[in-house]
Amino acid sequence: MKYRLLLMGRSNSVMDDFFKKMLNSFEVISTSARYEDIICHIKYFRPDAFVYCLNKESRETINNIATIKYKYKIPFIVIGAEEECVEFEKIAVNVSDLILVKPLTASFIQERVIRFMESRPEPDEMEVDNKGPFFEVQEPEPEPRKHILVVDDSVIMLKVIKEHLSNQYDIATATSGRIALRFLERKMTDLVLLDYQMPEEDGVAVLEKLRANEATKDIPVIFLTGITERDKIQKALVMKPQGYLLKPIDKEKLLEAIHNVIG
């Protein structure tokens, strides 16, 4: 079976290993450090484990992670340099179920995570504990940064766009229209960056569903595509998206387009 892993953290090299070298063993998606994003991903993706890829993480973020551990019954895996793992343990006591200390190869991480998951009992249905034994969980104050959902079946493209935007916006990613629509059932976003050409459903089909749903019909959408055929471009423009950018994506043009739509 493929285990579902929810990835978070600032160690891009470790996260890249999961996306590029371990897809035969794991189904993975990433989340931003925004508390609401993490909760939404846990609820709709229902991961078998949460993997925190440490790299100069803030104390505030680690404390938020600790509340998630006690609010949801989910195995917690930490990967990082020795000093980062030690610091994490000091801040978030008894949160991690498995700690992997770098340097590590992708094959070692894969083997160790699989062995860890196989050793665990079958998980029960996830239950929410609003008042756990150690924390009384409170929702954080809304953050001023705008939120963007990026939908693209290319993991490389998701990584590039996230790097372009993460300094100014909170980013969540989805590798298919199906995952994006499930995400939006529980969490709103300020903007959707939508790939035109994807398996199962293309961007036009996804946008049609967004526009047909009262809850999502007003979300701005910018198409991202490598397609240049006039008839296909026209098909997309009929849906009246807020923008249309050709791949490869130019960072400055992308930021300008987003700024024009949501500021």
Side-chain angles (χ1 to χ4, degrees), residues 110-170:
Q110 177 175 287
E111 183 274 333
R112 191 65 187 86
V113 172
I114 290 175
R115 194 194 328 161
F116 167 73
M117 296 304 301
E118 289 177 344
S119 68
R120 297 185 62 81
E122 288 296 319
D124 297 327
E125 290 294 314
M126 284 193 299
E127 299 176 359
V128 179
D129 181 9
N130 290 323
K131 291 187 177 181
F134 303 106
F135 294 90
E136 184 163 336
V137 180
Q138 297 180 346
E139 296 298 320
E141 293 296 321
E143 298 181 14
R145 298 204 335 164
K146 299 279 188 167
H147 182 275
I148 297 174
L149 174 61
V150 187
V151 188
D152 200 303
D153 63 307
S154 168
V155 173
I156 295 175
M157 183 57 63
L158 291 176
K159 179 177 181 294
V160 169
I161 293 176
K162 189 171 182 178
E163 288 178 350
H164 286 343
L165 303 180
S166 58
N167 286 338
Q168 298 184 38
Y169 302 96
D170 286 317

Coordinates of all heavy atoms in Angstrom, one line a residue, residues 110-170:
Q110 N 13.1 6.5 3.1 CA 12.0 5.7 2.6 C 11.9 4.4 3.4 O 10.8 4.1 3.9 CB 12.2 5.4 1.1 CG 11.1 4.5 0.5 CD 11.2 4.4 -1.0 OE1 11.0 5.3 -1.7 NE2 11.7 3.2 -1.4
E111 N 13.0 3.7 3.5 CA 13.0 2.4 4.2 C 12.6 2.6 5.7 O 11.8 1.8 6.2 CB 14.3 1.8 4.1 CG 14.4 0.4 4.8 CD 14.7 0.4 6.3 OE1 15.4 1.4 6.7 OE2 14.3 -0.5 7.0
R112 N 13.1 3.6 6.3 CA 12.8 3.8 7.8 C 11.4 4.3 8.0 O 10.8 3.8 9.0 CB 13.8 4.9 8.3 CG 13.8 5.0 9.8 CD 14.3 3.7 10.5 NE 14.1 3.8 11.9 CZ 13.0 3.4 12.6 NH1 12.0 3.0 11.9 NH2 13.0 3.5 13.9
V113 N 10.8 5.1 7.1 CA 9.5 5.6 7.3 C 8.5 4.4 7.1 O 7.5 4.2 7.8 CB 9.1 6.7 6.4 CG1 7.6 7.0 6.4 CG2 9.9 8.0 6.7
I114 N 8.8 3.6 6.1 CA 7.9 2.4 5.8 C 7.9 1.5 7.0 O 6.9 1.0 7.5 CB 8.4 1.7 4.5 CG1 8.0 2.6 3.3 CG2 7.7 0.3 4.4 CD1 8.6 2.0 2.0
R115 N 9.1 1.2 7.5 CA 9.2 0.3 8.7 C 8.5 0.8 9.9 O 7.8 0.1 10.6 CB 10.7 0.1 9.0 CG 10.9 -1.1 10.0 CD 12.3 -1.2 10.6 NE 13.4 -0.7 9.8 CZ 14.5 -0.3 10.3 NH1 14.7 -0.4 11.6 NH2 15.5 0.1 9.6
F116 N 8.6 2.1 10.1 CA 7.9 2.8 11.2 C 6.4 2.7 11.0 O 5.6 2.3 12.0 CB 8.3 4.3 11.2 CG 7.4 5.1 12.1 CD1 7.4 5.0 13.5 CD2 6.5 6.0 11.6 CE1 6.6 5.8 14.3 CE2 5.7 6.8 12.4 CZ 5.7 6.7 13.7
M117 N 5.9 2.9 9.8 CA 4.4 2.9 9.5 C 3.9 1.4 9.7 O 2.8 1.2 10.2 CB 4.1 3.4 8.2 CG 4.4 4.9 8.0 SD 3.6 6.0 9.2 CE 1.9 5.6 8.9
E118 N 4.7 0.5 9.2 CA 4.3 -0.9 9.3 C 4.2 -1.4 10.7 O 3.5 -2.4 11.0 CB 5.2 -1.8 8.4 CG 5.0 -1.6 6.9 CD 6.0 -2.4 6.1 OE1 7.0 -2.9 6.7 OE2 5.8 -2.6 4.9
S119 N 5.0 -0.8 11.6 CA 5.0 -1.3 13.0 C 3.9 -0.7 13.8 O 3.7 -1.2 14.9 CB 6.4 -0.8 13.6 OG 6.4 0.6 13.8
R120 N 3.2 0.2 13.2 CA 2.1 0.9 14.0 C 0.8 0.1 13.8 O 0.5 -0.5 12.8 CB 1.9 2.3 13.5 CG 3.1 3.2 13.8 CD 2.8 4.6 13.4 NE 1.7 5.2 14.2 CZ 1.8 5.6 15.5 NH1 2.9 5.6 16.1 NH2 0.7 6.1 16.1
P121 N -0.1 0.1 14.8 CA -1.4 -0.5 14.6 C -2.3 0.2 13.6 O -2.0 1.3 13.3 CB -2.0 -0.4 16.0 CG -1.4 0.7 16.7 CD 0.0 0.7 16.1
E122 N -3.3 -0.5 13.1 CA -4.2 0.2 12.1 C -4.8 1.4 12.8 O -5.3 1.3 13.9 CB -5.3 -0.8 11.7 CG -4.8 -1.9 10.8 CD -4.3 -1.3 9.5 OE1 -4.9 -0.4 8.9 OE2 -3.2 -1.8 9.0
P123 N -4.8 2.5 12.1 CA -5.4 3.7 12.7 C -6.9 3.7 12.8 O -7.5 3.2 11.9 CB -4.9 4.9 11.8 CG -4.7 4.2 10.5 CD -4.2 2.8 10.8
D124 N -7.4 4.2 13.9 CA -8.9 4.4 14.0 C -9.2 5.6 13.2 O -8.4 6.3 12.7 CB -9.3 4.5 15.4 CG -9.0 3.3 16.2 OD1 -9.1 2.2 15.7 OD2 -8.7 3.4 17.4
E125 N -10.5 5.8 13.0 CA -11.0 7.0 12.4 C -10.4 8.2 13.2 O -10.5 8.2 14.5 CB -12.5 7.1 12.4 CG -13.1 6.1 11.4 CD -12.8 6.5 10.0 OE1 -12.9 7.7 9.6 OE2 -12.4 5.6 9.2
M126 N -9.9 9.2 12.5 CA -9.4 10.4 13.3 C -10.5 11.1 14.0 O -11.6 11.3 13.6 CB -8.8 11.4 12.3 CG -7.4 10.9 11.7 SD -6.6 12.3 10.9 CE -7.7 12.7 9.6
E127 N -10.2 11.4 15.3 CA -11.1 12.1 16.1 C -10.5 13.4 16.6 O -9.3 13.5 16.8 CB -11.5 11.3 17.3 CG -12.1 9.9 17.0 CD -12.4 9.1 18.2 OE1 -12.0 9.6 19.3 OE2 -12.9 8.0 18.1
V128 N -11.4 14.4 16.7 CA -10.9 15.7 17.1 C -11.1 15.8 18.6 O -12.1 15.5 19.1 CB -11.7 16.8 16.4 CG1 -11.3 18.2 16.9 CG2 -11.6 16.7 14.9
D129 N -10.0 16.2 19.3 CA -10.1 16.4 20.7 C -9.9 17.9 21.0 O -8.8 18.4 21.0 CB -9.0 15.6 21.4 CG -9.0 15.8 22.9 OD1 -10.0 16.4 23.4 OD2 -8.0 15.3 23.5
N130 N -11.0 18.6 21.2 CA -10.9 20.1 21.3 C -10.2 20.5 22.6 O -9.8 21.6 22.8 CB -12.3 20.7 21.2 CG -12.8 20.6 19.8 OD1 -12.1 20.7 18.9 ND2 -14.1 20.3 19.7
K131 N -10.3 19.6 23.6 CA -9.6 19.9 24.9 C -8.7 18.6 25.2 O -9.2 17.8 25.9 CB -10.6 20.2 26.0 CG -11.3 21.5 25.7 CD -12.1 21.9 26.9 CE -12.8 23.2 26.8 NZ -13.6 23.6 27.9
G132 N -7.5 18.6 24.7 CA -6.7 17.5 24.9 C -6.1 17.5 26.3 O -6.3 18.5 27.1
P133 N -5.3 16.5 26.7 CA -4.8 16.5 28.0 C -3.7 17.5 28.3 O -3.5 17.8 29.5 CB -4.1 15.1 28.1 CG -3.8 14.7 26.7 CD -4.9 15.4 25.9
F134 N -3.1 18.1 27.3 CA -2.1 19.1 27.6 C -2.4 20.5 27.1 O -1.8 21.4 27.5 CB -0.8 18.6 26.9 CG -0.3 17.3 27.4 CD1 -0.5 16.2 26.5 CD2 0.2 17.1 28.6 CE1 -0.1 14.9 27.0 CE2 0.6 15.8 29.1 CZ 0.4 14.7 28.2
F135 N -3.3 20.6 26.1 CA -3.5 21.9 25.5 C -5.0 22.2 25.4 O -5.8 21.2 25.1 CB -3.0 21.9 24.0 CG -1.5 21.9 24.0 CD1 -0.8 20.6 23.9 CD2 -0.7 23.0 24.0 CE1 0.5 20.5 23.8 CE2 0.7 22.9 24.0 CZ 1.3 21.7 23.9
E136 N -5.4 23.4 25.6 CA -6.7 23.8 25.2 C -6.5 24.6 23.9 O -6.0 25.7 23.9 CB -7.3 24.7 26.3 CG -8.8 25.1 25.9 CD -9.5 25.6 27.1 OE1 -9.2 25.2 28.2 OE2 -10.5 26.3 26.9
V137 N -6.9 24.0 22.8 CA -6.6 24.6 21.5 C -7.5 25.8 21.2 O -8.7 25.7 21.3 CB -6.7 23.5 20.4 CG1 -6.4 24.1 19.0 CG2 -5.8 22.3 20.7
Q138 N -6.9 26.8 20.8 CA -7.6 28.0 20.3 C -7.2 28.4 18.9 O -6.0 28.2 18.5 CB -7.3 29.2 21.2 CG -7.8 29.0 22.7 CD -7.5 30.2 23.5 OE1 -6.7 31.1 23.1 NE2 -8.1 30.3 24.7
E139 N -8.1 28.8 18.1 CA -7.8 29.2 16.7 C -7.0 30.5 16.8 O -7.3 31.4 17.5 CB -9.1 29.4 15.9 CG -9.9 28.1 15.7 CD -9.1 27.1 15.0 OE1 -8.4 27.4 14.0 OE2 -9.2 25.9 15.3
P140 N -5.9 30.5 16.0 CA -5.1 31.7 16.0 C -5.8 32.9 15.3 O -6.8 32.7 14.6 CB -3.9 31.3 15.1 CG -4.4 30.3 14.2 CD -5.5 29.5 15.0
E141 N -5.3 34.1 15.6 CA -5.9 35.3 14.9 C -5.6 35.2 13.4 O -4.6 34.7 13.0 CB -5.2 36.6 15.5 CG -5.5 36.8 16.9 CD -7.0 37.1 17.1 OE1 -7.6 37.8 16.3 OE2 -7.6 36.6 18.1
P142 N -6.6 35.7 12.6 CA -6.3 35.7 11.2 C -5.1 36.5 10.8 O -4.8 37.5 11.4 CB -7.6 36.4 10.6 CG -8.6 36.3 11.7 CD -7.8 36.3 13.0
E143 N -4.3 35.9 9.8 CA -3.1 36.5 9.4 C -3.4 37.4 8.2 O -4.3 37.2 7.4 CB -2.1 35.4 9.0 CG -1.7 34.5 10.2 CD -0.7 33.5 9.8 OE1 -0.1 33.6 8.7 OE2 -0.5 32.6 10.5
P144 N -2.6 38.5 8.1 CA -2.9 39.5 7.0 C -2.5 39.0 5.6 O -3.0 39.6 4.7 CB -2.1 40.7 7.5 CG -1.0 40.1 8.3 CD -1.6 39.0 9.0
R145 N -1.6 38.0 5.5 CA -1.2 37.7 4.2 C -2.2 37.0 3.4 O -3.0 36.2 3.9 CB 0.1 36.7 4.3 CG 1.2 37.4 5.0 CD 2.6 36.8 4.7 NE 2.7 35.5 4.3 CZ 3.8 35.0 3.7 NH1 4.9 35.8 3.5 NH2 4.0 33.8 3.3
K146 N -2.3 37.3 2.1 CA -3.2 36.6 1.2 C -2.8 35.2 1.0 O -1.7 34.8 1.1 CB -3.3 37.4 -0.1 CG -3.7 38.8 0.0 CD -5.2 38.9 0.1 CE -5.6 40.4 0.0 NZ -7.0 40.6 -0.2
H147 N -3.9 34.4 0.7 CA -3.7 32.9 0.5 C -3.9 32.6 -1.0 O -4.8 33.1 -1.6 CB -4.6 32.1 1.3 CG -4.5 30.7 1.3 ND1 -5.1 29.9 0.3 CD2 -3.8 29.8 2.0 CE1 -4.8 28.6 0.4 NE2 -4.0 28.5 1.5
I148 N -3.0 31.7 -1.5 CA -3.1 31.3 -2.9 C -3.1 29.7 -3.0 O -2.2 29.1 -2.3 CB -2.0 31.9 -3.8 CG1 -2.1 33.4 -3.8 CG2 -2.0 31.3 -5.2 CD1 -0.9 34.1 -4.5
L149 N -4.0 29.2 -3.7 CA -4.0 27.7 -4.0 C -3.4 27.5 -5.4 O -4.0 28.0 -6.4 CB -5.4 27.1 -3.9 CG -5.5 25.7 -4.3 CD1 -4.7 24.8 -3.4 CD2 -7.0 25.3 -4.2
V150 N -2.3 26.7 -5.5 CA -1.7 26.4 -6.8 C -2.1 25.0 -7.2 O -1.8 24.1 -6.5 CB -0.2 26.6 -6.8 CG1 0.4 26.5 -8.2 CG2 0.2 27.9 -6.1
V151 N -2.7 24.8 -8.4 CA -3.1 23.5 -8.9 C -2.3 23.2 -10.1 O -2.5 23.8 -11.2 CB -4.6 23.5 -9.2 CG1 -5.1 22.1 -9.5 CG2 -5.4 24.1 -8.0
D152 N -1.5 22.2 -10.1 CA -0.7 21.7 -11.2 C -0.3 20.3 -11.0 O 0.1 19.9 -9.9 CB 0.5 22.6 -11.4 CG 1.1 22.6 -12.8 OD1 1.5 21.5 -13.2 OD2 1.2 23.6 -13.4
D153 N -0.3 19.5 -12.1 CA 0.1 18.1 -11.9 C 1.6 17.9 -11.9 O 2.1 16.8 -11.6 CB -0.6 17.2 -13.0 CG -0.1 17.6 -14.4 OD1 -0.2 18.8 -14.7 OD2 0.4 16.7 -15.1
S154 N 2.3 19.0 -12.2 CA 3.8 18.9 -12.2 C 4.3 19.3 -10.8 O 4.1 20.5 -10.4 CB 4.4 19.8 -13.3 OG 5.8 20.0 -13.1
V155 N 5.0 18.4 -10.2 CA 5.6 18.7 -8.9 C 6.7 19.8 -9.0 O 6.8 20.7 -8.1 CB 6.2 17.4 -8.3 CG1 6.9 17.7 -7.0 CG2 5.1 16.4 -8.0
I156 N 7.4 19.7 -10.1 CA 8.5 20.7 -10.3 C 7.8 22.1 -10.4 O 8.3 23.1 -9.8 CB 9.3 20.4 -11.5 CG1 10.0 19.1 -11.3 CG2 10.2 21.5 -11.9 CD1 10.8 18.6 -12.5
M157 N 6.7 22.2 -11.2 CA 6.1 23.5 -11.4 C 5.5 24.0 -10.0 O 5.7 25.2 -9.7 CB 5.0 23.4 -12.4 CG 4.3 24.7 -12.7 SD 5.4 26.0 -13.3 CE 6.0 25.3 -14.8
L158 N 5.0 23.2 -9.2 CA 4.5 23.6 -7.9 C 5.6 24.1 -7.1 O 5.4 25.2 -6.4 CB 3.8 22.4 -7.2 CG 2.5 21.9 -7.8 CD1 2.1 20.7 -7.0 CD2 1.4 23.0 -7.7
K159 N 6.7 23.5 -7.1 CA 7.9 23.9 -6.3 C 8.4 25.3 -6.8 O 8.7 26.2 -6.0 CB 9.0 22.9 -6.4 CG 10.3 23.3 -5.7 CD 11.3 22.2 -5.8 CE 12.6 22.5 -5.0 NZ 13.3 23.7 -5.6
V160 N 8.5 25.5 -8.1 CA 9.0 26.8 -8.7 C 8.0 27.9 -8.3 O 8.5 29.0 -7.8 CB 9.1 26.7 -10.2 CG1 9.3 28.0 -10.8 CG2 10.2 25.7 -10.6
I161 N 6.7 27.7 -8.4 CA 5.8 28.7 -8.1 C 5.8 29.0 -6.6 O 5.7 30.2 -6.2 CB 4.4 28.3 -8.6 CG1 4.3 28.3 -10.1 CG2 3.3 29.3 -8.1 CD1 3.0 27.8 -10.7
K162 N 5.9 28.0 -5.8 CA 5.9 28.2 -4.4 C 7.1 29.1 -4.0 O 7.0 30.0 -3.1 CB 5.9 26.9 -3.6 CG 5.7 27.0 -2.1 CD 5.5 25.6 -1.5 CE 5.3 25.8 0.0 NZ 5.1 24.4 0.6
E163 N 8.3 28.8 -4.6 CA 9.5 29.6 -4.3 C 9.3 31.0 -4.8 O 9.8 31.9 -4.1 CB 10.7 28.9 -5.0 CG 11.1 27.6 -4.4 CD 12.3 27.0 -5.1 OE1 12.6 27.5 -6.2 OE2 12.9 26.0 -4.6
H164 N 8.6 31.2 -5.9 CA 8.4 32.6 -6.4 C 7.5 33.4 -5.4 O 7.7 34.6 -5.3 CB 7.7 32.5 -7.8 CG 8.6 32.1 -8.9 ND1 9.9 32.2 -8.8 CD2 8.3 31.7 -10.2 CE1 10.4 31.8 -10.0 NE2 9.5 31.5 -10.8
L165 N 6.5 32.7 -4.8 CA 5.5 33.5 -4.1 C 5.5 33.4 -2.6 O 4.9 34.2 -1.9 CB 4.1 32.9 -4.5 CG 3.8 33.0 -6.0 CD1 2.4 32.4 -6.3 CD2 3.9 34.4 -6.6
S166 N 6.3 32.5 -2.0 CA 6.1 32.2 -0.6 C 6.6 33.4 0.3 O 6.2 33.5 1.5 CB 6.9 31.0 -0.2 OG 8.3 31.1 -0.5
N167 N 7.4 34.3 -0.2 CA 7.8 35.5 0.6 C 6.7 36.5 0.8 O 6.7 37.3 1.7 CB 9.0 36.2 -0.1 CG 10.3 35.4 0.1 OD1 10.4 34.5 1.0 ND2 11.3 35.6 -0.8
Q168 N 5.7 36.4 -0.1 CA 4.7 37.4 -0.1 C 3.3 36.9 0.2 O 2.4 37.6 0.7 CB 4.6 38.2 -1.4 CG 5.9 39.0 -1.7 CD 5.7 39.8 -3.0 OE1 4.6 40.4 -3.2 NE2 6.7 39.9 -3.8
Y169 N 3.1 35.6 0.0 CA 1.8 35.0 0.1 C 1.9 33.6 0.8 O 2.9 33.0 0.8 CB 1.1 34.7 -1.2 CG 1.0 36.0 -2.1 CD1 1.9 36.3 -3.1 CD2 -0.1 36.8 -1.9 CE1 1.8 37.5 -3.8 CE2 -0.2 38.0 -2.7 CZ 0.7 38.3 -3.6 OH 0.6 39.5 -4.4
D170 N 0.8 33.2 1.5 CA 0.7 31.8 2.0 C 0.2 30.9 0.9 O -0.8 31.2 0.2 CB -0.3 31.8 3.1 CG 0.2 32.4 4.4 OD1 1.4 32.2 4.7 OD2 -0.5 33.2 5.1

